[in-house]
Amino acid sequence: AIFFGKLVFGGFGQNIFNPAAVGRAVIFASFAGATAADIVTGATPTSAMAAQNWIINTSEGMNSFLSSFGGLGNMFVGLYPGAIGETSSLMILIVGVILAYRKVIDWRVPVTYLATLFVLATGVGIIHGAPLSYSVFHLLTGGAMFGAFFMMTDPVTNPTSAAGRVLFAMGCAIITIVLRLRSNLPEGVMYSILIMNMMTPMIESLTDGQQIKMKAKNI
């Protein structure tokens, strides 16, 4: 991940892809049988929902599904099987708020991503008659929270302007929903980040990001 995701582009500050996402993508693509859906041996909420094509269109069905993992409360706290670091939405939110307060990350990115993801999931739920818990599930499962606070906020691989970061986050949310509902992947967050990483230079040009201004000044 460090070599192909960072060094080949020139090292720190020059890479266009998030190295952590590159490493995970390679592992999932190369060792899919060994890693299963979420690098655990048992069923996870993500893999279980993916097996149902990410649609449960009745309140009874959704309640039954969530109860098998202890309900939304358990998922929020993190008491369910899943990939390391991404199960506890509560802990991620606490750390994310601290990082945003200390201005280590831009709060616009996670807020825009999670809000867009929720709106899109709600729209899908309304079309299929799914309850509101279906939309909340999209936020709490998989890498949505982890990706929003710790990967999309990478200052090197996302746009530098405020408007650009909003567009970046919205693009990630749209691609996440599309991949979850229409692809054969169990998740969509990681690949949505990598795809939008490729779009960052174009977003910078459209929104006159700081990188473009500094380049023009130096010239």
Side-chain angles (χ1 to χ4, degrees):
I2 295 299
F3 182 79
F4 290 105
K6 182 179 291 186
L7 297 183
V8 295
F9 292 100
F12 182 77
Q14 306 296 321
N15 52 295
I16 65 172
F17 293 109
N18 185 298
V22 170
R24 182 163 175 166
V26 170
I27 289 175
F28 271 65
S30 304
F31 307 102
T35 58
D38 292 292
I39 324 182
V40 295
T41 55
T44 67
T46 304
S47 60
M49 181 63 83
Q52 302 194 47
N53 297 318
W54 280 93
I55 291 293
I56 298 179
N57 53 15
T58 63
S59 296
E60 294 77 11
M62 195 67 200
N63 291 335
S64 175
F65 175 84
L66 291 173
S67 64
S68 63
F69 298 101
L72 288 176
N74 258 24
M75 295 190 62
F76 180 69
V77 175
L79 302 178
Y80 67 93
I84 187 170
E86 68 180 28
T87 54
S88 179
S89 297
L90 174 62
M91 293 303 299
I92 293 172
L93 281 171
I94 292 173
V95 176
V97 169
I98 293 173
L99 292 176
Y101 176 76
R102 295 176 62 87
K103 300 187 185 305
V104 176
I105 64 174
D106 188 343
W107 61 269
R108 298 177 185 86
V109 176
V111 169
T112 300
Y113 174 77
L114 295 174
T116 305
L117 186 64
F118 180 80
V119 170
L120 293 175
T122 301
V124 172
I126 291 174
I127 293 173
H128 292 87
L132 185 61
S133 56
Y134 171 79
S135 306
V136 178
F137 176 83
H138 270 275
L139 300 183
L140 300 182
T141 192
M145 286 286 183
F146 185 88
F149 285 98
F150 300 123
M151 299 185 76
M152 295 176 198
T153 53
D154 176 21
V156 175
T157 56
N158 69 10
T160 54
S161 67
R165 288 176 175 175
V166 170
L167 290 175
F168 179 88
M170 291 180 66
C172 286
I174 294 170
I175 295 172
T176 298
I177 284 290
V178 171
L179 292 179
R180 283 182 171 183
L181 295 175
R182 295 300 179 186
S183 74
N184 59 355
L185 299 169
E187 249 281 74
V189 178
M190 171 181 62
Y191 291 103
S192 73
I193 294 171
L194 291 174
I195 292 171
M196 288 307 297
N197 283 163
M198 291 189 292
M199 305 296 290
T200 293
M202 184 182 71
I203 295 174
E204 283 284 88
S205 297
L206 292 174
T207 57
D208 292 329
Q210 190 64 27
Q211 294 177 14
I212 304 299
K213 295 178 181 177
M214 291 176 64
K215 181 178 180 181
K217 182 178 179 180
N218 291 334
I219 292 176

